Amino acid sequence: MTASFGPLAHRRLFLKGAGLVALIGLGNAVLHAAPVFAATNDNKYPEDAFKQKNAGEAIKALYGRDHEASDKIKLDAPEIAENGGVVPIAVTTSLPNVTSISFIVSENPFALAASYHIPEGTVPAVANRLKMAKTSSVIALVESGGKLYSATKEVKVTVGGCGG
């Protein structure tokens, strides 16, 4: 039987105490952070809009109104996408008071590809890699000042990258 005195015993006691303090601190950080995450996610997920197969129905389900074309929206998308699984898309706009940006791919099985809420004071710019089933129009929708604006570009999806 060994005595639990000496430098090794003090070291073990110190390490146990430090581990306990770290666990308590980690527990407090997680418990106090939960309300912060919940508060930032106060927008309702547009489940019905993501289930629509038609572009017009998806826009109606998401925004409930029609859109008009705008030259203040810059939609960057390739003219030819060699891989429909990862098509890079980016949108920037100079419109004021942007509250949301969405991507519609009209020929996909479900038309609404992505939708973003833009917090006040944020630069209205979004980039994503979309999956496209086949050659289609990509519509970028920007909600600004209570109105809905759009920019459209045709993206040709090729099989095997042959351009045909």
Side-chain angles (χ1 to χ4, degrees), residues 73-78 87-93 101 103 124-130 138 140 151 153:
I73 300 171
K74 183 181 179 199
L75 173 59
D76 287 329
V87 181
I89 307 288
V91 172
T92 56
T93 181
I101 297 176
F103 296 119
V126 175
N128 201 339
R129 293 184 184 270
L130 303 181
V138 175
K153 185 169 184 178

Side-chain angles (χ1 to χ4, degrees), residues 27-53:
N28 280 338
V30 170
L31 292 176
H32 290 282
V36 174
F37 291 129
T40 60
N41 195 14
D42 58 356
N43 296 315
K44 187 176 181 293
Y45 178 75
E47 186 174 349
D48 188 45
F50 277 105
K51 291 180 179 179
Q52 301 302 317
K53 297 184 183 294

Side-chain angles (χ1 to χ4, degrees), residues 94-140:
S94 59
L95 291 167
N97 304 319
V98 173
T99 55
S100 73
I101 297 176
S102 300
F103 296 119
I104 303 282
V105 182
S106 57
E107 293 297 322
N108 271 4
F110 297 102
L112 181 58
S115 184
Y116 302 93
H117 289 280
I118 309 297
E120 186 178 335
T122 304
V123 174
V126 175
N128 201 339
R129 293 184 184 270
L130 303 181
K131 186 172 186 177
M132 295 181 62
K134 55 185 174 181
T135 298
S136 177
S137 293
V138 175
I139 304 168

Side-chain angles (χ1 to χ4, degrees), residues 54-92:
N54 177 302
E57 292 172 5
I59 294 169
K60 184 178 178 184
L62 188 61
Y63 293 107
R65 59 183 175 276
D66 210 12
H67 57 93
E68 61 183 75
S70 174
D71 60 350
K72 293 184 178 184
I73 300 171
K74 183 181 179 199
L75 173 59
D76 287 329
E79 289 184 25
I80 298 175
E82 294 182 7
N83 181 358
V86 286
V87 181
I89 307 288
V91 172
T92 56

